[in-house]
Amino acid sequence: MTTSTLDITGDVCPMTFVKVRLGLHKIPPSGKLNVRLKEEALKNVISSLKTEGHRVTNVSREEGIFLLEVTKGG
Amino acid sequence: MSEAAFKELKKGGMMRQSEAGLFSVRLHVVGGRLATPQLRAIQEAADRFGRGEIHLTTRQGVEIPHVPQDALAALKEFLATSGVGVGVCGPTVRTVTACQGCRVCPSGVIDSPELAEAVDRELYGNPVPHKFKVGISGCVNNCMKAEENDVGIKGWIEPRWETPACTFCGVCQAVCPTKAIATSEDGRALIIDPTLCIGCGDCITSCPTGSMREEIRGYRIFAGGKFGRRPSLGKRILGVLRTKEEAMAAILAVLDFFRIHGKPGERFGDTLQRTGFPALETFIKVGVGRP
């Protein structure tokens, strides 16, 4: 399965959350979505993902930008 | 009426207005909460005994202004039938302010109204060397400005780092608003600086692996805050307290300390400037056995 990447480094809340939600809507349960985001969006994006039953399965960082691997919940 | 008689009225929450013969009547409100029958009674009282005006005070209080002196007793009796008491003034424990707490607010960590009611039941109107204000914030967003009170409480989450699942992804460090989390020199542990931690729990909310956990979800006490003419902010005392009963015991101990060391007419913050905060903490720990 191809893992798509969503770049929300240019967005601010609530669009960060909205775009991640739309991104996850396009993939099947247990599918993965990579999300590139800035540090200031981390807290809200991760907490909303957890609330909606998704999991952050990997985190990496490149030049101050975080890359989250999100696994879609059922 | 004599000055002594005016003072007696003021103690009971009836304050002389600048316009001769009129009083502004302070009501007893706890944590800014009033039931609708009480509100209806207050409205009717303001229409019948005042000039149809109600003043909302800066500390969640309610006052009915423009009440003639000869109507004060009747007003008090009228309100009492709907469960509305009159307030207090002078060197006493004043209105306890509180946010809506965890039963209403999604950010709430503690049940602020519940603690406010307990403090009010135990202490409202009790004599102390000078006015004494208690404010309760349900979380570190601090809507009730805990540090501006003689005793302030904040709902507080103390985090604990657990080794096994942590991948050292850096999210907790990135989201921490005070940079209280650091990686150890060997890179194998995360260290939380308790003096920098503000108890927000953001590290726990954001941790992808669940390695940041709640150590304590409880009550943080701040002492010695005041505003008025010479403002100063209260300081943290004691560790995070786990239960409402512990918080209550700490507040009672703070008041005992104030009664012993405070001078008449001296705000508690000024008392602490004389005695030092460590003296208060020692008093509470030794006397009450608080952590």
Side-chain angles (χ1 to χ4, degrees):
Chain A
M1 187 187 297
T2 315
T3 303
S4 55
T5 297
L6 177 68
D7 190 330
I8 55 168
T9 52
D11 296 293
V12 293
C13 185
M15 285 314 292
T16 46
F17 166 66
V18 171
K19 286 192 175 178
V20 172
R21 196 171 183 178
L22 288 172
L24 285 166
H25 187 66
K26 293 174 188 162
I27 63 174
S30 303
K32 291 185 193 307
L33 175 70
N34 287 330
V35 183
R36 293 184 82 243
L37 74 173
K38 284 184 182 167
E39 188 174 302
E40 50 266 34
L42 272 177
K43 183 190 144 197
N44 285 342
V45 167
I46 294 178
S47 62
S48 55
L49 284 168
K50 282 183 175 179
T51 305
E52 302 224 324
H54 311 298
R55 287 184 302 126
V56 177
T57 38
N58 194 33
V59 181
S60 56
R61 196 192 294 210
E62 49 184 44
E63 294 171 359
I65 301 295
F66 277 82
L67 186 66
L68 308 182
E69 180 195 76
V70 180
T71 303
K72 183 173 175 173
Chain B
M1 184 182 274
S2 69
E3 274 308 308
F6 278 128
K7 275 190 178 172
E8 203 51 40
L9 279 174
K10 193 177 172 188
K11 265 190 204 169
M14 297 172 192
M15 293 160 296
R16 194 162 31 153
Q17 284 184 207
S18 47
E19 192 177 343
L22 295 182
F23 285 74
S24 188
V25 179
R26 177 176 292 174
L27 306 180
H28 182 198
V29 180
V30 186
R33 291 211 302 183
L34 288 163
T36 50
Q38 292 176 307
L39 277 172
R40 281 191 283 271
I42 293 167
Q43 179 197 3
E44 197 178 337
D47 287 337
R48 283 171 63 166
F49 300 98
R51 293 181 186 165
E53 277 180 33
I54 290 166
H55 173 63
L56 302 177
T57 76
T58 52
R59 296 194 75 247
Q60 297 183 327
V62 176
E63 289 174 13
I64 300 176
H66 312 303
V67 181
Q69 188 181 324
D70 59 9
L72 291 173
L75 166 68
K76 197 172 166 180
E77 197 181 331
F78 174 81
L79 287 170
T81 57
S82 296
V84 181
V86 292
V88 292
C89 208
T92 55
V93 177
R94 302 286 189 81
T95 300
V96 182
T97 59
C99 67
Q100 301 219 67
C102 61
R103 272 189 277 174
V104 173
C105 178
S107 301
V109 171
I110 57 171
D111 190 336
S112 316
E114 185 188 40
L115 180 60
E117 279 158 22
V119 174
D120 181 84
R121 266 197 310 274
E122 192 86 27
L123 296 169
Y124 184 65
N126 281 13
V128 271
H130 198 8
K131 66 172 87 167
F132 194 92
K133 298 173 180 178
V134 182
I136 302 164
S137 282
C139 73
V140 293
N141 292 334
N142 204 11
C143 295
M144 296 320 300
K145 306 173 180 69
E147 289 91 334
E148 288 181 7
N149 289 265
D150 296 280
V151 163
I153 312 286
K154 275 186 206 173
W156 196 277
I157 296 169
E158 191 171 287
R160 178 185 78 244
W161 177 67
E162 285 185 354
T163 325
C166 183
T167 58
F168 297 94
C169 67
V171 167
C172 59
Q173 289 170 282
V175 301
C176 177
T178 56
K179 304 298 170 205
I181 304 170
T183 309
S184 65
E185 280 186 14
D186 64 6
R188 293 179 181 177
L190 295 181
I191 300 156
I192 304 164
D193 183 342
T195 61
L196 291 178
C197 178
I198 58 165
C200 62
D202 283 358
C203 53
I204 300 164
T205 308
S206 308
C207 177
T209 62
S211 302
M212 277 291 175
R213 298 288 177 93
E214 283 185 20
E215 174 70 12
I216 304 173
R217 175 179 278 254
Y219 305 77
R220 231 339 159 171
I221 314 274
F222 295 78
K226 63 195 179 78
F227 230 70
R229 298 180 185 194
R230 293 181 298 118
S232 61
L233 293 181
K235 293 182 183 169
R236 277 190 212 181
I237 58 165
L238 309 172
V240 184
L241 305 176
R242 290 174 187 271
T243 65
K244 185 186 75 174
E245 287 70 27
E246 282 185 327
M248 193 67 212
I251 293 168
L252 288 168
V254 169
L255 272 175
D256 285 344
F257 183 89
F258 188 33
R259 288 195 184 103
I260 293 167
H261 296 281
K263 296 175 182 173
E266 178 185 60
R267 285 299 295 271
F268 183 48
D270 297 323
T271 306
L272 289 175
Q273 290 302 320
R274 284 192 295 106
T275 64
F277 283 78
L280 172 66
E281 290 204 280
T282 306
F283 178 86
I284 298 174
K285 285 175 185 168
V286 172
V288 192
R290 292 301 114 204

